[in-house]
Amino acid sequence: MRQKDDFYPTPPEAVEALLSLETFDGGIWEPACGDGAISKILATEYDVVSSDLNDYGYGQTGIDFLMEQKLQAPNIVTNPPYKNATDFVQHAIMLGAKKHCWFLRLAFLEGQARYENLYSKLRPARVWVFSKRLTLWRGDEERSGNGTTAYAWFVWDGVPGETKLGWIL
């Protein structure tokens, strides 16, 4: 059963992998910060603004990213609620984020509607695919076992063009 608000904290190794591949000019906004799994690691190298619609004990709560009209930082890094992922990406583009990175299921590449509404207008600059499957646990679950779902970091940097595909080993 899916967690009610799609709260699945990001494994630390996923954030560390992103930081080994991408750099950011300026601060970072984590608009679905949950319990701070991404924010805490980003904050070791960058100024981070952390917010979330729900209260998971970290960051500024009651902030609905999709209703925000102003960027809180020039860059965005997050693991959004999957059911709203396309809306989150489109909203970041509309807000004018310099660079935005999304931890998502690899299946986010699929879908005719997503292609027509997103990829046909502005493709990600890079997609970093995890060669090892990661496990995401509901925020209220104890961690055990191995991953069964393929994940990737989807990176937009505002530059139109072809998408580079790479792997995280």
Side-chain angles (χ1 to χ4, degrees), residues 102-163:
W102 309 89
F103 182 74
L104 297 164
R105 289 184 264 183
L106 187 57
F108 192 73
L109 285 172
E110 301 173 330
Q112 189 170 8
R114 188 173 294 123
Y115 176 80
E116 290 171 4
N117 296 323
L118 180 60
Y119 297 136
S120 69
K121 295 175 173 74
L122 185 60
R123 298 176 181 183
R126 291 168 293 288
V127 176
W128 300 110
V129 180
F130 286 88
S131 61
K132 176 185 174 203
R133 293 207 170 168
L134 301 175
T135 302
L136 270 67
W137 300 98
R138 290 192 320 246
D140 59 355
E141 273 185 321
E142 191 173 318
R143 296 174 180 242
S144 66
N146 295 321
T148 59
T149 304
Y151 288 94
W153 281 105
F154 291 72
V155 179
W156 274 262
D157 61 10
V159 180
E162 293 300 313
T163 301

Side-chain angles (χ1 to χ4, degrees), residues 10-24 28 37-38 40-42 44-46 77 99 101-104 126-134 136 151-155 164 166-169:
T10 308
E13 60 268 28
V15 185
E16 292 160 0
L18 177 68
L19 289 176
S20 75
L21 296 164
E22 299 285 340
T23 58
F24 300 89
I28 299 172
I38 292 176
K40 291 172 186 175
I41 295 170
L42 293 175
T44 64
E45 297 184 36
Y46 296 96
V77 175
K99 182 186 246 185
C101 305
W102 309 89
F103 182 74
L104 297 164
R126 291 168 293 288
V127 176
W128 300 110
V129 180
F130 286 88
S131 61
K132 176 185 174 203
R133 293 207 170 168
L134 301 175
L136 270 67
Y151 288 94
W153 281 105
F154 291 72
V155 179
K164 175 186 175 184
W167 285 266
I168 298 170
L169 305 176

